[in-house]
Amino acid sequence: EYDSNFLAIRFPAHSPALVEPGGLLDAVYRLLQELPFHSGYFGYTLNVSTLLRVSGYKQKINERAHAVARRFLGVEITDPVFENEMMASSLRPPSWVTFLGNEVIEKLGGVERLQEQLTGDFVIRPLAHGIGIQAGPRPLLADRHREEDVSPEQRLLALILSPLYPKEPRRLFSEVAYEETLWYFRRLL
């Protein structure tokens, strides 16, 4: 009853069929078309896995996940326990494609208000239980070592969604200061 029913589906990082008509992104939309959901994220993801809880792995996984988060602004760091506790009521920063359920859309003022706020290269696609918002033409890793950034659209969407971010998120990087989790959630603002 209290679980968010978090579901993670992994796809190859580089797929030439990603945005082609009938390609991977269209397949994701077909998968979600009739599925009720709170939110969803489609882009680059690093899953820290349940090994994070196993002695001997925790420190190494935490250090590397934190390093990835600091270097690549466009990568989502996911932890199934973290997601299960928070994502039924909160939002993460947006990914390349961010799916918002109808309840979330209403909290943000409705689809029309979102469309007015979303200026730039956005594609909004309706679903039976929400919408998908694509921020820019392709996903970006945003490697800070190469002075890359996420798209301006992803930053704008982050600002619009920020009122629904968790106020005190559960610690994501247990081996570093809690402020790093707060930074991570606000990195696109």
Side-chain angles (χ1 to χ4, degrees), residues 6 47-62 65 77-86 92 170-175 181:
F6 169 72
N47 181 33
V48 296
S49 88
T50 54
L51 286 177
L52 186 60
R53 312 277 181 267
V54 177
S55 177
Y57 293 100
K58 182 178 182 173
Q59 184 177 359
K60 289 179 183 179
I61 291 173
N62 254 290
I77 308 295
T78 63
D79 174 349
V81 174
F82 182 85
E83 306 300 328
N84 196 43
E85 290 180 5
M86 295 183 49
R92 297 181 137 273
R170 184 177 183 276
R171 182 182 290 269
L172 187 56
F173 308 108
S174 63
E175 301 297 313
T181 294

Side-chain angles (χ1 to χ4, degrees), residues 1-168:
E1 175 181 339
Y2 299 103
D3 286 346
S4 67
N5 297 310
F6 169 72
L7 171 68
I9 302 173
R10 309 283 183 245
F11 297 105
H14 300 287
S15 172
L18 182 66
V19 294
E20 292 174 2
L24 185 56
L25 185 55
D26 283 346
V28 170
Y29 272 99
R30 285 192 305 276
L31 179 71
L32 294 177
Q33 181 54 45
E34 298 296 326
L35 182 70
F37 60 91
H38 177 266
S39 63
Y41 308 89
F42 183 84
Y44 293 110
T45 303
L46 175 67
N47 181 33
V48 296
S49 88
T50 54
L51 286 177
L52 186 60
R53 312 277 181 267
V54 177
S55 177
Y57 293 100
K58 182 178 182 173
Q59 184 177 359
K60 289 179 183 179
I61 291 173
N62 254 290
E63 289 171 357
R64 286 168 177 84
H66 179 249
V68 167
R70 275 294 184 175
R71 179 172 176 180
F72 299 102
L73 295 177
V75 173
E76 289 296 316
I77 308 295
T78 63
D79 174 349
V81 174
F82 182 85
E83 306 300 328
N84 196 43
E85 290 180 5
M86 295 183 49
M87 291 304 110
S89 60
S90 302
L91 291 180
R92 297 181 137 273
S95 194
W96 173 50
V97 180
T98 303
F99 299 94
L100 302 175
N102 290 330
E103 183 180 312
V104 174
I105 295 166
E106 289 309 310
K107 288 180 184 177
L108 294 167
V111 173
E112 294 80 19
R113 181 157 186 248
L114 279 172
Q115 288 173 325
E116 290 170 4
Q117 294 175 303
L118 296 174
T119 58
D121 190 3
F122 286 99
V123 176
I124 301 172
R125 291 175 63 175
L127 295 160
H129 300 280
I131 59 173
I133 303 172
Q134 180 181 325
R138 67 184 192 289
L140 299 172
L141 279 172
D143 185 345
R144 292 174 72 185
H145 290 186
R146 295 183 178 157
E147 298 181 4
E148 297 171 352
D149 197 4
V150 296
S151 70
E153 290 83 5
Q154 200 169 339
R155 286 198 177 274
L156 175 60
L157 186 55
L159 184 63
I160 293 167
L161 300 182
S162 66
L164 299 180
Y165 290 177
K167 303 298 182 237
E168 295 180 10

